[in-house]
Amino acid sequence: MDVADSDRVTVEYEVVAVERFGRGPILAVASVLIDIAGVHVLIEGITMRRAEGGQADITVPTYRHPRTGEWKPALDLPAKVWAAISVEVAERATGRVAQLVP
């Protein structure tokens, strides 16, 4: 498929691994395989952390910028794709149906 010939491509994902942790700020770490029009990308290090108010925060892997020392996201996914992945990771990590917090 030539992406230039179409305004839309199929994006599918699969949570391939979730490792849960019992204590501390990190609740789980996940790996997700994304298929973008037949191109497979494995994202490792998706982190589920404890947040304020008993909520959980799911974040993409990060890296530390060498000049500023600032932590930055290692990838930028469309909000719709990230929202779906976040819910799936939360459900797999907790065993409960998850909902997005607005």
Side-chain angles (χ1 to χ4, degrees):
M1 171 183 198
D2 186 357
V3 175
D5 291 339
S6 173
D7 289 343
R8 295 179 179 210
V9 294
T10 300
V11 176
E12 297 178 348
Y13 67 90
E14 176 185 0
V15 178
V16 293
V18 174
E19 184 174 354
R20 292 182 208 98
F21 299 97
R23 296 179 184 239
I26 298 176
L27 299 171
V29 175
S31 299
V32 173
L33 183 65
I34 298 179
D35 178 341
I36 305 168
V39 177
H40 296 120
V41 178
L42 180 63
I43 302 171
E44 298 195 76
I46 295 172
T47 307
M48 182 174 178
R49 296 177 183 269
R50 292 183 203 283
E52 291 183 28
Q55 300 291 327
D57 185 32
I58 299 174
T59 59
V60 298
T62 57
Y63 71 96
R64 191 168 214 150
H65 191 280
R67 274 195 318 267
T68 66
E70 179 183 10
W71 286 100
K72 301 180 95 29
L75 68 145
D76 184 16
L77 293 172
K80 195 174 195 178
V81 174
W82 182 244
I85 289 172
S86 295
V87 167
E88 183 79 19
V89 167
E91 288 177 355
R92 288 276 304 273
T94 64
R96 297 185 303 247
V97 174
Q99 294 182 0
L100 288 176
V101 177

